[in-house]
Amino acid sequence: MNSKTSSASKIDNHVYKIFPNDLNAKKTVFGGLIMSIADRLAVVVAERHSSQTCVTASVDSWHFVAPAKENDTLLFSVAINKAWGSSMEIGVKVEAENSYEGTKRHIVSAYFTFVALDDEGKTVPVPALVPQNDKEQQRYEAAEVRRQARLTVREQLKKYK
Ligand SMILES: CC(C)(COP(=O)(O)OP(=O)(O)OC[C@H]1O[C@@H](n2cnc3c(N)ncnc32)[C@H](O)[C@@H]1OP(=O)(O)O)[C@@H](O)C(=O)NCCC(=O)NCCS
């Protein structure tokens, strides 16, 4: 199976303009809205990379670093960090842009794991990812650390089921 690069599937600065119906009682952006958009974009990246239907297996390290507000514009940047057998880690970064001032704030970082499935719902192999520069290499290595942590926690929690 051919290997692929991150740039072949990534999404840079996907724009979502905030309107009043996107806000919660505190007048900041409803977090579930951001999660939903991030999941939709991340599955596109996973499906571009794998050329298969993908499902969200897990989301971890989701951090709301700062609130987004009315009049902000959200910018989503989404890229694959590493691929294994049938699974892929997709990193999501969300920034809030104040378009009037030309400033940006970091809002969210998170890591999604997607699994590629065939027509019968069985897991299928995905292409390897080949990092192209130092930044991608760092993400690739960090993704492996997170995967090992996920597998360890999963194993340790089995006895409680
Ligand atoms: C994700 C799912 C397909 C995994 O099925 P499974 O029988 O556990 O599959 P396996 O144990 O063979 O694991 C398959 C791969 O998924 C990974 N995986 C499974 N559960 C995972 C989890 N919770 N987090 C991260 N990775 C996970 C495994 O590490 C493995 O990766 P690899 O092939 O790269 O080594 C299955 O749990 C499922 O269908 N979940 C529901 C998905 C869904 O409905 N999502 C929301 C709507 S899209």
Side-chain angles (χ1 to χ4, degrees), residues 54-58 84-87 113 115 117 123 147 150-151 154:
C54 294
V55 292
T56 317
S58 66
W84 292 276
S86 62
S87 68
T113 300
V115 176
L117 303 178
T123 59
R147 173 175 161 97
R150 277 178 212 119
L151 293 177
R154 207 176 162 197

Side-chain angles (χ1 to χ4, degrees), residues 81 93 131-142:
N81 291 331
K93 181 178 182 183
Q132 299 295 294
N133 53 46
D134 288 350
K135 190 81 202 163
E136 289 182 11
Q137 182 66 32
Q138 278 177 19
R139 289 178 182 154
Y140 185 88
E141 290 174 15

Side-chain angles (χ1 to χ4, degrees), residues 58-77:
S58 66
V59 185
D60 52 34
S61 309
W62 183 287
H63 293 285
F64 286 103
V65 181
K69 300 172 187 157
E70 189 171 7
N71 292 327
D72 278 341
T73 295
L74 299 180
L75 303 174
F76 291 78
S77 292

Side-chain angles (χ1 to χ4, degrees), residues 91-139:
V92 175
K93 181 178 182 183
V94 187
E95 295 173 298
E97 176 187 270
N98 181 321
S99 308
Y100 314 122
E101 297 172 358
T103 55
K104 284 185 198 169
R105 299 173 340 268
H106 183 197
I107 298 298
V108 166
S109 285
Y111 302 99
F112 288 72
T113 300
F114 284 87
V115 176
L117 303 178
D118 66 14
D119 291 344
E120 278 77 49
K122 294 202 181 93
T123 59
V124 283
V126 299
L129 179 76
V130 183
Q132 299 295 294
N133 53 46
D134 288 350
K135 190 81 202 163
E136 289 182 11
Q137 182 66 32
Q138 278 177 19
R139 289 178 182 154

